[in-house]
Amino acid sequence: MVPRLYIVIPCYNEEAVLPITAPLFLEKIKSLMERKKIREDSRVLFVNDGSKDATWEIIQKLSADNPVFQGISLSRNRGHQNALLAGLMEAKDKCDITISIDCDGQDDIHAMDQMLDEYLDGAEVVYGVRSSRKKDSFFKRTTAQGYYRLLNVLGAEIVYNHADYRLVSSKVLKEFANFKEVNIFLRGMFPLVGFKSTCVYYERTERIAGQSHYPLRKMLSLAFDGITSFSVKPIRLITTLGFVVALLSAIGILWAIYAALTGNSVAGWASLASITCFLGGVQLVCIGIIGEYIGKMYLETKARPRYIIAEYTEEMDKENQT
Ligand code: UDP
Ligand code: MG
């Protein structure tokens, strides 16, 4: 059976890049249709993540000109992960497979062919993996690789060098819909859903136009979310650290008693001050990490909606009503 495909593309302030990449997506989906790899009623689904520029107007115009293009618009900016989730959840009951991809042309759209082949061979999830990071700055490359290693050490199953370019079948998405957490890190969550999966390798290029929305601050916050959403090991490390410090201080106390008894106790103001400061720092870091988890729990218990769809393009609207 030929599958119906939805290509899901989150867009935030992308008016510079969308007019360039939309025709590329169209060309790709048309060529897949012509080769009978996907159904004729397959779609490109844009998710406007509360853009402040003309992104939503561009999406509406694309959709008016060609029904292959469809779009939903979130009520406000919710961030890449939530926008993508909104698109996937919208698509899951309408199609057989989704492919999520960024709208900036960085991910090689031709890898989709291979992803589809893997799907036809039985894979339910196909991860797009960057084969090299030559185009990245040295800083981004080393920090990213260190980060993936760290995540694995901390016990989050995560595919090395895979971001959010992936094929997911609607079967998997329907199971995924039961993951109700508010703190989401999709690339770490799909491995948890399970099902047969495989990887497809591609070269990642530079952004075609516009700017990255991931400055260092957001990158660090995504990185931190990734760790704290998947692993409680940092809290365990704190306990271990506590034991180590306690042991060291016990040794220190024994040493101090010994020094006092043998009469050569020193007027050690400097050492005392530095130990106090050091321990103060350790404690603050530990409280911070625990606080991060409590904050996450707070957000989870509130269970607020992860996104709110404000508007649909016309055809989607009709399709939803029938
Ligand atoms: N994006 C989004 N909401 C945001 C930030 C980004 O939907 O708040 C989208 C953006 O339009 C793009 C994708 O997420 O399609 C990846 O963002 P970007 O290219 O800026 O990140 P980078 O590739 O530099 O990591
Ligand atoms: Mg990008």
Side-chain angles (χ1 to χ4, degrees):
M1 202 192 68
V2 183
R4 185 181 195 195
L5 168 70
Y6 263 64
I7 300 179
V8 181
I9 309 173
C11 308
Y12 175 57
N13 292 348
E14 298 286 11
E15 64 181 6
V17 84
L18 214 49
I20 310 173
T21 49
L24 302 176
F25 290 123
L26 181 63
E27 206 179 299
K28 183 85 238 169
I29 204 164
K30 285 272 181 230
S31 107
L32 290 170
M33 285 176 191
E34 273 155 27
R35 282 176 285 144
K36 301 262 178 290
K37 288 214 171 201
I38 55 173
R39 260 166 52 179
E40 293 284 328
D41 56 357
S42 294
R43 294 282 180 261
V44 174
L45 174 62
F46 293 109
V47 183
N48 171 38
D49 185 16
S51 299
K52 294 178 180 63
D53 63 3
T55 303
W56 180 236
E57 284 71 37
I58 295 172
I59 294 171
Q60 282 177 314
K61 168 118 199 358
L62 285 168
S63 174
D65 292 346
N66 191 332
V68 165
F69 291 120
Q70 292 303 325
I72 57 178
S73 184
L74 303 190
S75 60
R76 54 158 296 163
N77 180 249
R78 294 292 289 125
H80 178 202
Q81 298 290 300
N82 287 297
L84 185 50
L85 177 77
L88 293 174
M89 289 301 110
E90 195 57 36
K92 76 176 191 311
D93 300 314
K94 301 191 168 84
C95 64
D96 303 300
I97 40 177
T98 59
I99 294 182
S100 51
I101 188 167
D102 291 354
C103 76
D104 55 10
Q106 283 191 287
D107 302 310
D108 178 15
I109 49 175
H110 301 298
M112 286 186 192
D113 294 73
Q114 219 186 324
M115 287 182 169
L116 279 165
D117 290 340
E118 295 290 351
Y119 168 74
L120 293 174
D121 277 349
E124 300 281 345
V125 184
V126 185
Y127 300 103
V129 178
R130 309 165 68 166
S131 48
S132 79
R133 281 182 171 263
K134 269 182 259 150
K135 295 267 161 54
D136 276 347
S137 67
F138 174 77
F139 177 74
K140 183 146 186 174
R141 191 168 59 228
T142 33
T143 49
Q145 294 188 338
Y147 177 62
Y148 279 100
R149 296 225 170 87
L150 177 67
L151 271 181
N152 278 315
V153 170
L154 291 177
E157 263 180 66
I158 192 157
V159 179
Y160 191 62
N161 268 347
H162 160 69
D164 282 298
Y165 184 18
R166 75 179 86 75
L167 177 150
V168 184
S169 73
S170 60
K171 189 160 133 192
V172 173
L173 285 175
K174 279 172 192 152
E175 298 305 329
F176 183 75
N178 295 324
F179 286 59
K180 303 284 187 204
E181 60 231 65
V182 181
N183 297 289
I184 54 169
F185 188 61
L186 297 173
R187 68 192 76 164
M189 287 164 78
F190 280 106
L192 294 178
V193 186
F195 290 97
K196 189 164 179 248
S197 68
T198 177
C199 296
V200 156
Y201 297 86
Y202 70 96
E203 281 286 336
R204 186 159 151 127
T205 51
E206 270 159 63
R207 211 172 217 284
I208 292 183
Q211 281 177 1
S212 167
H213 301 101
Y214 276 96
L216 188 61
R217 184 178 55 81
K218 269 203 187 172
M219 228 160 74
L220 284 180
S221 127
L222 180 74
F224 214 63
D225 276 352
I227 295 173
T228 48
S229 310
F230 283 94
S231 170
V232 287
K233 277 198 191 167
I235 290 192
R236 295 207 189 114
L237 283 181
I238 289 178
T239 320
T240 320
L241 187 69
F243 276 117
V244 172
V245 172
L247 189 74
L248 286 180
S249 24
I251 296 172
I253 289 167
L254 289 180
W255 173 75
I257 293 172
Y258 171 78
L261 288 179
T262 50
N264 34 359
S265 57
V266 281
W269 180 84
S271 58
L272 245 169
S274 50
I275 289 171
T276 314
C277 290
F278 171 72
L279 283 184
V282 170
Q283 280 170 346
L284 282 182
V285 170
C286 295
I287 294 173
I289 295 181
I290 294 171
E292 178 75 16
Y293 282 94
I294 293 178
K296 290 251 151 96
M297 275 156 53
Y298 175 63
L299 288 176
E300 296 293 349
T301 47
K302 281 208 267 210
R304 286 183 177 157
R306 295 175 286 188
Y307 56 84
I308 296 169
I309 300 176
E311 231 178 302
Y312 294 85
T313 45
E314 240 167 78
E315 202 200 85
M316 283 220 69
D317 224 2
K318 274 187 226 142
E319 204 176 334
N320 283 342
Q321 273 155 21
T322 50

